[in-house]
Amino acid sequence: MRCARIILLLAVLSAHSSEGYRILCIFPFAGPSHFRMFEALCKGLARKGHRVDMISHFPSKLPIANYVDIVDLSGARQNIADSFSVEYGKSLQRSMTYYIATKFGGDLCDLMGQENMRDFIDNPPKDPPYHLVITEYLGASCYLGFGHLLKAPVAVVTSFLQAQPINDFTGNPHSHAFFSGAYNEDPTVVSFIDRIRNLLSNFWGTQMFYHYTSDQTAVMRKYLGRDTPDIRELERAVALVLTNDHYTITGARPITPAIVNVGGLHVEFDDSKLTTELEAWMDSADHGVIYFTFGSLTRIETLPESTLQELYATFEKISPVKVLMKCVNITKLPDGLPGNVFTKPWMPQIPVLKHKNTRAFITHGGLMGVQEAVYYGVPMIGIPIFADQMKNINIFVQKNMAIRINLDDLTEQSMDSALNAILHDSKYKESARRQSELFRDRPMSAMDTATYWIEYVIRNGPDSLRSSAVDMVWWKRNLLDVFSFLTISLVLVTFVLIKVFIVFVTKICESSIRIEKKIN
């Protein structure tokens, strides 16, 4: 009887798992590092039995059941992998919000005019219809319009730490009093000045983002139909936000159920392997390996030649410790590369970071990379260049897991000091081990968490996680009207009491004077 019940239960679970939903994943940004997370999510959903259609610049190299590249955007925009110089990255940082909302945001809206996109927009699949649209929330908010086009709820994914406008359109508390927002590079908010800076930087950054993206409504209506709602209205209709975040990194704060942290999802998904050559080289590094990369966008070889020569000098000093350095074009490096430095134009990063001989990670501070380092407990030396990299590194400096070197301070002496501390001060390795434990300790994997809430929204409707705060204006949401009323009431009551007191005292004084006159 017990055996029969188990078989029946398994049959029910099997039947349930086969009832997959149809999901459209649409990611117009041609950034490979961002797409790693989105690909992991969407292919993970396909593996769990859902029917996934992908629109991206990165068609799958291998066929996967339930996963179809329904529109291939590759070639429509330049692949930005390994295309940034250090100087270009620094120039982006001077107007980062503008570039995110335009060059890497609004400009992507015109991809809807591509012939293959037009074919999809004019004749979307309807058998079965889509149950959900998943897209990135970065700068191209116009792709939220596909939810309206397909009459399906929309979930957004962020590959950065949570973008500040998300708080507005989900009704989530900003928590400026103690939580450092996305536009604030400082990881903590402590003093009165910190609170002022945190409030103003995040308020101004958000308003600038709204300003630069406001014209996307017209672009959506051009390609998706004149009845497409305003861009801000579409944001408020978002059913679910999956953020590449985790409270062990940024700190605890109140969040609405519509925001779900799935930081590290791409790490769990990764199944890449070291090449035979690289594995043999790392296995032979008995004294350890330092891994050095500026990620998938910025090329190390674009550092000034004098800076590279100083790095050569410091790397040579730590021999027999080896250095693995990503260099896209080795011919651009100056002569004199030390014998303990091995360069490759590309290497599988996660297998490198989890290798037993990896002792430290020299990084630009991209969120994907630092999460991988946290996951595998590798201390870091951060050399941030632009965007969220400054904040990411500052977070781990505060946790004693990283040392920061500013680009302008990158010298032989500063790298000597940082490497000596990372390699010989046990606090960095111990902190990295502790952060790894905290980051991994979850009731469900990031992929299972994302899958559950995606299915929840599809089952229960786009408003199932919606906060009533979404429909409130900011001054009501922050109780400014209530505080104003209470303050004015207190002032009026105090004024009346003072008046009554004055009248009472005056009457007493007058009465005393009359009595005194009668006596006299």
Side-chain angles (χ1 to χ4, degrees), residues 466-501:
R466 197 171 194 268
S467 168
S468 58
V470 174
D471 300 317
M472 299 176 72
V473 293
W474 66 272
W475 48 271
K476 284 186 179 180
R477 189 188 307 168
N478 290 283
L479 293 176
L480 293 189
D481 54 340
V482 174
F483 287 128
S484 297
F485 171 77
L486 293 176
T487 301
I488 293 171
S489 298
L490 180 61
V491 170
L492 288 175
V493 168
T494 302
F495 176 78
V496 169
L497 289 175
I498 290 174
K499 280 290 189 182
V500 169
F501 179 75

Side-chain angles (χ1 to χ4, degrees), residues 335-442:
D335 295 335
L337 190 69
N340 64 325
V341 179
F342 182 51
T343 68
K344 295 284 285 183
W346 176 88
M347 61 272 296
Q349 183 159 287
I350 290 179
V352 169
L353 289 172
K354 72 179 181 182
H355 193 280
K356 61 183 177 63
N357 288 338
T358 300
R359 296 180 63 183
F361 182 28
I362 304 176
T363 173
H364 63 305
L367 184 57
M368 300 293 191
V370 298
Q371 286 181 343
E372 292 157 13
V374 173
Y375 197 89
Y376 290 107
V378 180
M380 294 174 279
I381 296 172
I383 310 171
I385 303 171
F386 64 93
D388 62 335
Q389 298 163 13
M390 286 74 174
K391 179 161 193 163
N392 295 338
I393 293 300
N394 288 344
I395 286 171
F396 292 103
V397 167
Q398 187 186 60
K399 296 178 184 296
N400 289 325
M401 186 180 161
I403 295 171
R404 173 173 170 169
I405 304 176
N406 294 326
L407 269 173
D408 294 338
D409 301 324
L410 184 55
T411 63
E412 179 180 349
Q413 291 72 30
S414 63
M415 187 58 77
D416 280 350
S417 175
L419 281 171
N420 181 64
I422 287 288
L423 292 173
H424 302 295
D425 188 338
S426 61
K427 78 175 181 181
Y428 293 101
K429 182 61 181 175
E430 180 57 30
S431 294
R433 183 197 63 77
R434 176 60 178 157
Q435 291 303 316
S436 176
E437 289 178 350
L438 292 172
F439 191 56
R440 293 187 186 211
D441 191 358
R442 311 182 191 192

Side-chain angles (χ1 to χ4, degrees), residues 28-31 57 76-80 83-84 88-89 91-93 95-111 136 138-140 142-143 209 212-213 215-216 297 386:
F29 180 53
H57 300 267
R77 285 288 187 276
Q78 178 187 0
N79 188 329
I80 61 175
S83 65
F84 288 11
Y88 179 63
S91 71
L92 290 179
Q93 181 59 21
S95 302
M96 201 66 237
T97 301
Y98 169 79
Y99 284 112
I100 285 177
T102 56
K103 183 176 178 62
F104 307 127
D107 290 0
L108 303 179
C109 298
D110 285 323
L111 288 171
E136 179 178 20
L138 180 64
C142 51
Y143 285 87
F209 178 84
Y212 291 135
T213 57
D215 61 350
Q216 292 185 23
L297 298 181
F386 64 93

Side-chain angles (χ1 to χ4, degrees), residues 52-120:
V52 176
D53 291 341
M54 173 64 77
I55 298 177
S56 78
H57 300 267
F58 306 97
S60 184
K61 296 177 181 178
L62 297 172
I64 295 177
N66 303 321
Y67 182 95
V68 177
D69 290 294
I70 196 165
V71 177
D72 180 3
L73 296 176
S74 57
R77 285 288 187 276
Q78 178 187 0
N79 188 329
I80 61 175
D82 299 319
S83 65
F84 288 11
S85 68
V86 170
E87 282 304 314
Y88 179 63
K90 290 168 67 176
S91 71
L92 290 179
Q93 181 59 21
R94 289 190 281 271
S95 302
M96 201 66 237
T97 301
Y98 169 79
Y99 284 112
I100 285 177
T102 56
K103 183 176 178 62
F104 307 127
D107 290 0
L108 303 179
C109 298
D110 285 323
L111 288 171
M112 296 181 197
Q114 295 281 325
E115 184 178 354
N116 52 1
M117 285 289 282
R118 293 301 318 152
D119 291 341
F120 178 87

Side-chain angles (χ1 to χ4, degrees), residues 26-30 34 38 95-112 135-145 156-166 169 183 205-206 208-217 219-220 231-232 235:
I26 180 166
F27 297 103
F29 180 53
H34 291 230
F38 310 145
S95 302
M96 201 66 237
T97 301
Y98 169 79
Y99 284 112
I100 285 177
T102 56
K103 183 176 178 62
F104 307 127
D107 290 0
L108 303 179
C109 298
D110 285 323
L111 288 171
M112 296 181 197
T135 190
E136 179 178 20
Y137 190 81
L138 180 64
S141 302
C142 51
Y143 285 87
L144 299 176
V156 298
V157 193
T158 69
S159 58
F160 287 170
L161 296 175
Q162 183 180 315
Q164 199 64 21
I166 289 173
F169 67 72
Y183 291 102
T206 302
M208 292 303 294
F209 178 84
Y210 288 155
H211 171 70
Y212 291 135
T213 57
S214 60
D215 61 350
Q216 292 185 23
T217 296
V219 182
M220 283 192 303
I231 195 73
R232 304 282 88 93
E235 287 174 341

Side-chain angles (χ1 to χ4, degrees), residues 2 12-13 59 88 92 100 128 223 274 306 347 360 411 417 459:
R2 184 178 179 186
V12 169
L13 291 174
Y88 179 63
L92 290 179
I100 285 177
Y223 294 119
L274 294 172
S306 58
M347 61 272 296
T411 63
S417 175
R459 285 195 307 267

